[in-house]
């Protein structure tokens, strides 16, 4: 069974940048489309970006031009590089497959505030 361990979240000032990492356990990683999701305070979880098995990527509108998703099949890891962060990006960020499985990791908190 796949497990997800997210890390890299922190408090950052508006305009700042962060790199989130997600380590995935299990042997099927290279065959799975992976994605980052986020859940803002009081809001619903939403898709941020996804990375296909062949390296193709897709982004939600709010992420285009600011966020970059990447994956390392050898390390069974997924990354999300974020720049030009704004308070609206404050959320708990999760990685999962796309479409997501029914279970989630603990997520990593990103807080954008002055």
């Amino acid at each position: 069974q796949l497990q997800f361990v997210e890390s890299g979240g922190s408090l950052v000032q508006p305009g700042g940048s962060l790199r989130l990492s997600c380590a995935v356990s299990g042997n099927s990683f290279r065959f799975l489309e992976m994605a980052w999701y986020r859940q803002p305070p009081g809001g619903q979880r939403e898709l941020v970006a996804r990375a296909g098995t062949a390296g193709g990527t897709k982004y939600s509108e709010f992420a285009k031009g600011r966020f970059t998703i990447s994956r390392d099949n050898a390390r069974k890891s997924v990354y999300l590089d974020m720049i030009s962060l704004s308070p609206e990006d404050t959320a708990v960020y999760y990685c999962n497959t796309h479409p997501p499985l029914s279970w989630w990791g603990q997520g990593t908190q990103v807080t954008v505030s002055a």
Side-chain angles (χ1 to χ4, degrees), residues 19-35:
R19 177 174 237 214
L20 306 183
S21 300
C22 175
V24 183
S25 65
N27 295 322
S28 57
F29 179 83
R30 66 177 64 240
F31 305 113
L32 299 170
E33 182 170 350
M34 296 300 301

Side-chain angles (χ1 to χ4, degrees), residues 85-101:
L85 287 163
S86 72
E88 289 70 35
D89 297 314
T90 294
V92 180
Y93 285 71
Y94 302 87
C95 75
N96 206 311
T97 58
H98 184 271
L101 300 171

